[in-house]
Amino acid sequence: MTLPRGSQTPPDDSPLPARPRLIATDLDGTLLHDGKYVSERTVKALAAAEEAGIEVFFVTGRPARWMDVVSDHVHGHGMAICANGAAVVDLHAGGKLLRSRPLDRTVALDVVRALRDAAPGTTFAVETTTGIHYEPRYPRFADDPAVSLGTAEHLLSESGPAQAPPASALADTVPVLKLLAHHTDLTPDGFLALARTAAGDRANITRSSPSALLEISGPGVSKASTLALCCAERGISSDEVVAFGDMPNDLEMLTWAGSSYAMGNAHPDVLAAASGRTVTNNEDGVAVIIEEILARRQP
């Protein structure tokens, strides 16, 4: 395998499937450099994969409104899986929602109460199909203003501001894609373990941030389960999928895919779970593997 000079060499047993049909890649810490951009080398590798007949799916915890960084690099299909599997969107149509797998508001409220009891000081945000809603003390994302502010209990209530705006023609409540929970004192992995114990099987809880920020989806909703649905619609089996990731929210996808690669900068659990390893995101680790796959396909 040819690697950039100075790179960490992946293990010799890194798998390289002969004829994959789909590449599924996380974005932050995986495809994107730390400066939140796609390198020229990676752009070329993605285009070459699509030209060779391999579909590329971006599978991310990001909401659709944060996909501008890669929207020009989705080719024929235009689809991306966002919000850890809670949404499938068409980037060619400006992030139009094609499928949602929402978190039930009653369940979300149960989880809020459980985490408030288990980890006092937890603050919340509610991610919906129309934007994000913050509690007043929740650390807000830069350049992502709130649709509304209020307690999680109010934001999640059927009459709360997380509903469609009054001027909207929608009669039903806007779907909740994710509940976000933040703690200032707990460690990220410690908070994750505590929250999973407190919530039980009521929701799927994971994380992708270096801070103690949890991402809470409906039970059974993950990058892997939504990717599996999209692949089934295309007649693609898990054995024909190559997946890339770096954080705990990628674990299910990496273990579902027939071949998977942890980035050189990945979380220890990801390094242990993936079937192979590549170099870091800043060394174009995804492009390294795509180039090698395509090289092996040459006659």
Side-chain angles (χ1 to χ4, degrees), residues 40 50 57 69 72 76 103 107 126 156 163 169 177 216 220 275 295:
E40 182 178 347
E50 293 269 6
F57 267 48
V69 68
D72 290 339
L103 172 63
V107 171
V126 180
L156 290 165
Q163 281 190 313
L177 297 179
I216 303 164
S275 56

Side-chain angles (χ1 to χ4, degrees), residues 22-181:
L22 189 141
I23 290 167
T25 179
D26 174 51
L27 295 183
D28 296 281
T30 300
L31 190 80
L32 304 181
H33 279 225
D34 288 347
K36 306 302 181 187
Y37 66 91
V38 186
S39 73
E40 182 178 347
R41 180 181 183 181
T42 298
V43 168
K44 290 179 179 178
L46 295 175
E50 293 269 6
E51 186 176 348
I54 304 172
E55 288 194 71
V56 177
F57 267 48
F58 300 132
V59 189
T60 178
R62 287 180 172 226
R65 65 183 178 279
W66 288 10
M67 295 296 286
D68 288 351
V69 68
V70 293
S71 58
D72 290 339
H73 309 307
V74 178
H75 296 267
H77 54 84
M79 289 174 54
I81 296 171
C82 296
N84 289 333
V88 179
V89 302
D90 183 352
L91 298 183
H92 289 334
K96 178 183 177 182
L97 184 67
L98 302 177
R99 166 186 277 152
S100 67
R101 304 180 67 196
L103 172 63
D104 181 84
R105 287 171 182 263
T106 301
V107 171
L109 284 168
D110 287 344
V111 173
V112 166
R113 297 182 188 107
L115 293 190
R116 289 206 198 279
D117 290 341
T122 301
T123 56
F124 297 93
V126 180
E127 180 74 54
T128 73
T129 54
T130 58
I132 193 164
H133 309 256
Y134 296 111
E135 286 196 321
R137 292 190 300 111
Y138 186 91
R140 303 178 196 180
F141 299 114
D143 302 320
D144 199 3
V147 175
S148 61
L149 295 173
T151 65
E153 289 81 358
H154 179 54
L155 296 173
L156 290 165
S157 69
E158 292 299 330
S159 59
Q163 281 190 313
S168 171
L170 293 174
D172 296 329
T173 304
V174 174
V176 173
L177 297 179
K178 288 196 301 186
L179 178 67
L180 303 175

Side-chain angles (χ1 to χ4, degrees), residues 172-265:
D172 296 329
T173 304
V174 174
V176 173
L177 297 179
K178 288 196 301 186
L179 178 67
L180 303 175
H182 182 268
H183 206 283
T184 57
D185 300 324
L186 296 173
T187 64
D189 286 334
F191 190 26
L192 177 60
L194 183 145
R196 284 175 169 171
T197 298
D201 60 1
R202 286 174 285 190
N204 186 28
I205 304 179
T206 188
R207 76 175 191 87
S208 61
S209 171
S211 66
L213 170 60
L214 305 183
E215 302 166 62
I216 303 164
S217 304
V221 176
S222 68
K223 290 184 176 185
S225 60
T226 301
L227 178 61
L229 290 172
C230 293
C231 286
E233 291 171 352
R234 289 161 172 73
I236 298 174
S237 70
S238 61
D239 289 341
E240 297 171 304
V241 176
V242 183
F244 297 87
D246 72 304
M247 288 296 279
N249 66 327
D250 297 313
L251 282 168
E252 294 98 329
M253 179 174 73
L254 295 175
T255 55
W256 176 81
S259 300
S260 61
Y261 291 86
M263 309 305 293
N265 50 288

Side-chain angles (χ1 to χ4, degrees), residues 1-4 7-11 14 30 243-245 260-266 271 274 276-281 283-290:
M1 182 181 298
T2 303
L3 298 173
S7 297
Q8 175 185 348
T9 302
S14 295
T30 300
F244 297 87
S260 61
Y261 291 86
M263 309 305 293
N265 50 288
L271 291 170
R277 185 182 301 184
T278 185
V279 294
T280 68
N281 61 315
E283 296 172 297
D284 297 321
V286 174
V288 166
I289 301 300
I290 292 175

